[in-house]
């Protein structure tokens, strides 16, 4: 399965909710940054959602504080 596994990453959206990779990955949110950076550079990434086994929405939990995550994800499903 590993040979065929594909991940589709939704494009970045609103900078207020979606993760934006900083120039330096430091501080308490560095692990979030490393995860997002690694998945974007992964050999499993595909640009074709029809080939994907997993769908990744690059939402930053830190930036989502106080916001309704369901509204952000629902807007992606409507596209």
């Amino acid at each position: 399965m590993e040979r065929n596994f594909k991940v589709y990453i939704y494009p970045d959206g609103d900078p207020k909710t979606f993760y934006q990779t900083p120039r330096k990955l430091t501080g308490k949110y560095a692990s979030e940054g490393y995860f997002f950076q690694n998945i974007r550079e992964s050999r499993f990434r595909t640009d074709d959602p029809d080939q994907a086994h997993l769908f990744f929405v690059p939402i930053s939990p830190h930036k989502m504080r106080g916001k309704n995550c369901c509204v952000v994800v629902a807007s992606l499903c409507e596209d």
Side-chain angles (χ1 to χ4, degrees):
M1 177 169 174
E2 185 178 329
R3 292 181 191 167
N4 300 327
F5 185 74
K6 296 293 179 192
V7 178
Y8 176 77
I9 302 172
Y10 280 92
D12 293 344
D14 181 1
K16 294 179 184 171
T17 55
F18 280 75
Y19 185 78
Q20 307 295 317
T21 306
R23 291 179 191 262
K24 288 186 178 180
L25 296 172
T26 59
K28 61 183 176 182
Y29 299 105
S31 60
E32 180 181 282
Y34 281 114
F35 177 79
F36 286 4
Q37 181 180 2
N38 286 327
I39 199 166
R40 284 186 173 129
E41 296 171 359
S42 171
R43 66 185 170 101
F44 301 113
R45 184 177 182 176
T46 180
D47 292 327
D48 183 359
D50 292 330
Q51 292 181 354
H53 299 96
L54 178 73
F55 296 85
F56 179 71
V57 180
I59 295 175
S60 171
H62 171 66
K63 290 186 176 186
M64 287 298 296
R65 287 183 297 175
K67 295 181 176 72
N68 187 343
C69 184
C70 295
V71 172
V72 174
V73 174
S75 68
L76 291 172
C77 294
E78 293 171 0
D79 292 342

